Amino acid sequence: MNLIKYVEEQMLTKKAMPEFKAGDTITVNYKIKEGDKERIQQYQGIVIQRRGSGTSASFTVRKVSNGVGVERVFPIYSPFIESIELNKEGVVRRARIYYIRNAKGKKARIEEKQYGRNEEVAAPAQKEAVATEKV
């Protein structure tokens, strides 16, 4: 076994994190030290990419602040990340959505993944309601 990977796995403290991918909107609660005080800053944006594996894995989050696009790279296993919250799951066809950098306005929006909206799920409940009305 590779000695470096073995040491990295022993030193790694895994936190419970949601599964997220490119196109998802997440909020990263990040610890920031200012002098002798420490506070938590929330950074909410769209995940542009995930890269790497193991302890060196990282992800890039993009947000628009005051009309200026800001991107920040976070190591996944950083001790400064307090938590990660998944706000919305996006529907994209790419693993790295760099095209969002050049998009403006409505073109910069990402479609949200919808759950439980297909007609097959709703159909049995409607059939029961119709059957009870006829009786």
Side-chain angles (χ1 to χ4, degrees):
M1 183 173 187
N2 190 353
L3 188 60
I4 294 173
K5 284 187 180 181
Y6 177 75
V7 172
E8 285 179 350
E9 289 175 4
Q10 297 301 319
M11 300 298 282
L12 181 67
T13 57
K14 291 190 177 184
K15 296 179 184 176
M17 276 189 238
E19 289 293 321
F20 60 92
K21 59 182 177 32
D24 294 348
T25 302
I26 62 171
T27 302
V28 180
N29 295 320
Y30 201 73
K31 294 178 191 174
I32 294 180
K33 278 191 171 182
E34 294 175 337
D36 58 342
K37 289 191 270 182
E38 189 174 282
R39 66 181 180 89
I40 295 176
Q41 182 180 31
Q42 291 186 337
Y43 191 89
Q44 182 177 11
I46 298 170
V47 178
I48 298 292
Q49 69 172 344
R50 283 188 72 157
R51 70 176 346 160
S53 62
T55 57
S56 63
S58 64
F59 60 98
T60 305
V61 180
R62 177 181 175 84
K63 73 174 184 176
V64 178
S65 180
N66 296 325
V68 178
V70 180
E71 291 184 12
R72 187 160 181 187
V73 179
F74 294 98
I76 289 181
Y77 297 109
S78 172
F80 295 110
I81 292 179
E82 182 72 23
S83 64
I84 298 174
E85 301 166 16
L86 181 63
N87 300 31
K88 287 193 256 182
E89 287 189 45
V91 178
V92 293
R93 297 182 181 184
R94 304 276 181 270
R96 290 175 166 77
I97 53 173
Y98 296 134
Y99 62 86
I100 206 89
R101 293 173 176 163
N102 299 325
K104 293 184 178 129
K106 288 187 178 181
K107 297 270 187 184
R109 291 188 302 181
I110 294 178
E111 182 182 346
E112 184 177 354
K113 191 171 189 179
Q114 301 291 325
Y115 292 104
R117 294 190 54 144
N118 60 10
E119 296 173 6
E120 295 174 10
V121 173
Q126 291 174 351
K127 289 178 184 177
E128 290 178 49
V130 171
T132 56
E133 288 177 10
K134 290 182 180 178
V135 176

